Amino acid sequence: MESTQQVFLGDCRNVLSSLAEQSISACITDPPYNYEFVGHKWDADEIARRTRRARENGSKILVKNIPYGSGLAGGVRNEKWYERNRENILEYQKWCLEWGEQVFRVLKPGGIIAVFNSTRTVAHVQVALEAAGFYARDCLVYRRPSGIPKGLNLSAKLKQKNHAEYDAWKGWHSCLRNEWEAIAILQKPLEQNYLNTFMNYEVGLFFTENPDGSFQSNIIENVKKRKDDDFNVHCTVKPLALMEKLVEMFVPPSSKHIVLDPFAGSGTTLVAAKNLGRSYIGIEVVPEYIPIIERRLLANSNLNNMTQNVSKKEMGAIDLPESLPLFD
C-alpha cells in the first residue's frame, strides 16, 4: 500500500470535519499552550515582533509563551486578575473540546492521541479530551534540557527595597525551574478488548522495547536536539528524535497507518512519520509555516511534492486515499 501524504492549510476544526471517520491510526500533536492561546494572535507576525524586540533590548532570550496584551504576563493579582485567568482556562478547555471531538471521530477504535502541553494546563487538556470521548491512559514526562528559572526572586526584590533581612530570604522564589513538558496520552475506547481491537484495526497497543532491550518508561529523557534549519522560524520546534520516538511508540510500522497532526507547526511530526515509513496528515492554520513544512518534507523525499491549501468552504467530505501527494 502506498503512503498517504497530505498537508492542509486551515483551522483544524474545519478540516477535520471533512476527513473520513475512523481513518486515522494515531494523533500526535503539539497545540498552542494556554499561554499562547489567549489575548493575542500567535502567528508569524507576533514571533517577528518578539524577536525584534529582544534584539533591540540586547537580549538573547525570546519570551515565547506569554501572549502580549493578555494580562497574564504580570500585573496585580487582584480578584479581577484571577477571574480573567479562570475565564481564559475555561475558554481554552472549550477550544480543546471542539477539536478533540473531531479527532475522536476520525481515529480508529483504540487509536492513541498524544498531546503536548505545559505542566500548568495539561490537566485541562485531559479533561477536555475525556469530555470528547477519550479515556486517559498516562501522562508522559518529556525531560528537556534545564529551563531558565522565571518568576520573582524574593531576596533580590527585598534588597531593592532596602529590606534589612533580605539575605534571610535567599532561595525563595515564586516558582520552580521547569525542565519537563507533559504529554497527555488518551485513547479512543477499544472494541471489546485489546486483542479484538488489534485484529480489526492493528492499533491500541504501545511499542515498549528500547534499543537496549529494556522496557519503555513513561519518562522520556536524553533526547538529542539538532540545530534547527535557518529557514525554520517556528519558535517551539520539538526535537525530531522525540517525535520519531512517539511515532514508533504509538503507530505500527506500516504506511497504511496514518499519523495525524492537527497543529503541524513546522512539520516535525510529519517529517518523523515520513522518516519511519508511516503515512501522515498535517493541518496548519498559519500560512507562513506551510512553505517550511514543504521544504522540510522535500528534504526527506525525492518526490516532487507540493502543498494543498484547503478551507472548509472549499472542501466537501473526503475519503483518505491510499496515496495522495501534496498539491498546490
Side-chain angles (χ1 to χ4, degrees), residues 130-232:
E130 286 177 325
F134 293 99
Y135 69 104
R137 294 296 315 280
D138 209 331
C139 182
L140 300 189
V141 170
Y142 161 46
R143 188 175 183 183
R144 62 192 183 196
S146 297
I148 300 171
K150 302 180 180 69
L152 182 140
N153 180 333
L154 181 58
S155 179
K157 287 294 183 182
L158 291 176
K159 185 177 181 179
Q160 290 177 4
K161 293 184 175 296
N162 298 316
H163 193 286
E165 298 181 358
Y166 72 88
D167 199 46
W169 295 99
K170 184 177 180 181
W172 288 89
H173 292 252
S174 63
C175 63
L176 303 174
R177 178 166 56 88
N178 188 355
E179 59 178 288
W180 70 280
E181 287 182 75
I183 310 173
I185 307 298
L186 297 96
Q187 188 169 34
K188 188 170 180 175
L190 306 170
E191 282 193 354
Q192 298 182 16
N193 54 48
Y194 286 108
L195 184 58
N196 188 72
T197 302
F198 173 80
M199 296 299 292
N200 289 331
Y201 303 100
E202 290 190 0
V203 298
L205 299 168
F206 304 158
F207 182 70
T208 60
E209 185 174 343
N210 289 319
D212 62 1
S214 62
F215 201 92
Q216 176 64 50
S217 164
N218 60 3
I219 299 176
I220 301 175
E221 54 188 338
N222 301 319
V223 176
K224 294 183 178 179
K225 182 174 178 12
R226 68 184 189 186
K227 184 180 182 298
D228 295 329
D229 298 310
D230 292 337
F231 61 83
N232 192 348

Side-chain angles (χ1 to χ4, degrees), residues 21-76:
E21 193 170 328
Q22 296 189 7
S23 57
I24 303 296
S25 295
C27 175
I28 302 173
T29 192
D30 183 18
Y33 291 3
N34 194 30
Y35 286 135
E36 300 165 3
F37 176 74
V38 66
H40 194 89
K41 187 176 181 182
W42 187 255
D43 55 17
D45 290 339
E46 172 66 358
I47 294 169
R49 186 194 71 80
R50 295 186 191 207
T51 303
R52 183 174 60 254
R53 184 176 179 182
R55 287 173 179 168
E56 290 172 353
N57 294 336
S59 173
K60 296 181 179 180
I61 301 172
L62 174 63
V63 178
K64 300 176 181 179
N65 295 327
I66 300 178
Y68 179 76
S70 70
L72 298 179
V76 178

Side-chain angles (χ1 to χ4, degrees), residues 7-27:
V7 176
F8 297 108
L9 171 63
D11 187 316
C12 68
R13 293 170 294 181
N14 298 334
V15 178
L16 284 169
S17 67
S18 297
L19 300 184
E21 193 170 328
Q22 296 189 7
S23 57
I24 303 296
S25 295
C27 175

